[in-house]
Amino acid sequence: MEKNKIHKLTLLALMIALDVVLSPLMRIEGMAPMSSVMNIIAGVLLGPIYGTVMAFVCALIRMTMLGIPPLALTGAVFGAFFAGLFYRLGKRLVWSMIGEIVGTGIIGSLLSSPVMVWFTGSQSDLYWLIYTPRFIGAALIGSAIAFVVLVKLQETTIFKRWQRLFLSERMFG
C-alpha cells in the first residue's frame, strides 16, 4: 500500500515537471497547447483528481516563476479535471479530448474573463471574446498532439501498469 502511494506521488511529480518544462516551449501568445497535451495525458494516466492537482501545481509554478497571469489557473485546472473525468466515464481517448476542450476551451475561458477583468482593471463588455477562441484553439491543438502521443503510449506495458495504479482511486472521498 505504501509503495503504491510512493509510485503515485512519483508519477505526479514527474507529470508536474514535464508540464512545467514543456508548456513554455510551445507557447503562442494567449495559447498554451502543451498545457492541454499534459492535461489530457494526466487525465488518462492519473485520473481526474491527480490530474487536477498536477494542473493546479503547474499553474502556480508557471505564475510565480514565469510571470504567467492567472489564466494559467482558470484554463488548465478545469481542463485537467474534465479530461480525467470524461476519460473515466467514456474509457476512450476521444472522451478525454472532449473533456479538455469543454474544461479549458469553454469553462476555463469563460471563467478567465472575470478574473482578468479584476486582474487588469479593464471594463470592456466583450472581454470574454478575447479568451474563448484562444482557449478553444489551444485545446484543439493540444488534443491533436495528445492523441498522437497517447496512441503510442497506450501500447506500452509500463503505461498500462501506471494506469492500473490510479484506477483504484475513488472519485470523491
Side-chain angles (χ1 to χ4, degrees), residues 48-67:
I49 304 301
Y50 281 89
T52 304
V53 169
M54 180 214 69
F56 182 77
V57 171
C58 290
L60 289 178
I61 292 171
R62 287 196 315 259
M63 286 169 50
T64 56
M65 303 296 276
L66 302 174

Side-chain angles (χ1 to χ4, degrees), residues 132-149:
T132 303
R134 291 177 181 179
F135 278 41
I136 288 175
L140 288 171
I141 294 167
S143 294
I145 296 169
F147 183 81
V148 171
V149 170

Side-chain angles (χ1 to χ4, degrees), residues 46-108:
L46 308 176
I49 304 301
Y50 281 89
T52 304
V53 169
M54 180 214 69
F56 182 77
V57 171
C58 290
L60 289 178
I61 292 171
R62 287 196 315 259
M63 286 169 50
T64 56
M65 303 296 276
L66 302 174
I68 307 275
L71 297 176
L73 272 175
T74 55
V77 172
F78 294 101
F81 178 75
F82 283 109
L85 181 65
F86 281 29
Y87 183 77
R88 284 281 167 92
L89 297 175
K91 302 287 185 214
R92 298 189 66 213
L93 283 178
V94 174
W95 284 106
S96 184
M97 294 164 59
I98 291 170
E100 172 65 21
I101 293 166
V102 167
T104 295
I106 298 170
I107 296 171

Side-chain angles (χ1 to χ4, degrees), residues 8 11 39-52 79-100 154 159-173:
K8 285 182 179 183
L11 284 172
N39 283 349
I40 293 171
I41 292 172
V44 170
L45 177 63
L46 308 176
I49 304 301
Y50 281 89
T52 304
F81 178 75
F82 283 109
L85 181 65
F86 281 29
Y87 183 77
R88 284 281 167 92
L89 297 175
K91 302 287 185 214
R92 298 189 66 213
L93 283 178
V94 174
W95 284 106
S96 184
M97 294 164 59
I98 291 170
E100 172 65 21
Q154 286 186 325
F159 188 83
K160 291 175 186 174
R161 189 172 3 150
W162 287 345
Q163 264 188 320
R164 280 192 301 273
L165 182 66
F166 289 92
L167 252 169
S168 62
E169 165 195 336
R170 284 197 247 158
M171 277 299 290
F172 303 105

Side-chain angles (χ1 to χ4, degrees), residues 112-161:
S112 293
S113 298
V115 169
M116 288 307 287
V117 165
W118 170 78
F119 188 70
T120 63
S122 174
Q123 296 299 322
S124 174
D125 290 335
L126 299 175
Y127 210 58
W128 68 274
L129 287 175
I130 294 171
Y131 297 113
T132 303
R134 291 177 181 179
F135 278 41
I136 288 175
L140 288 171
I141 294 167
S143 294
I145 296 169
F147 183 81
V148 171
V149 170
L150 281 170
V151 163
K152 288 298 181 187
L153 272 179
Q154 286 186 325
E155 295 173 0
T156 64
T157 55
I158 189 81
F159 188 83
K160 291 175 186 174
R161 189 172 3 150

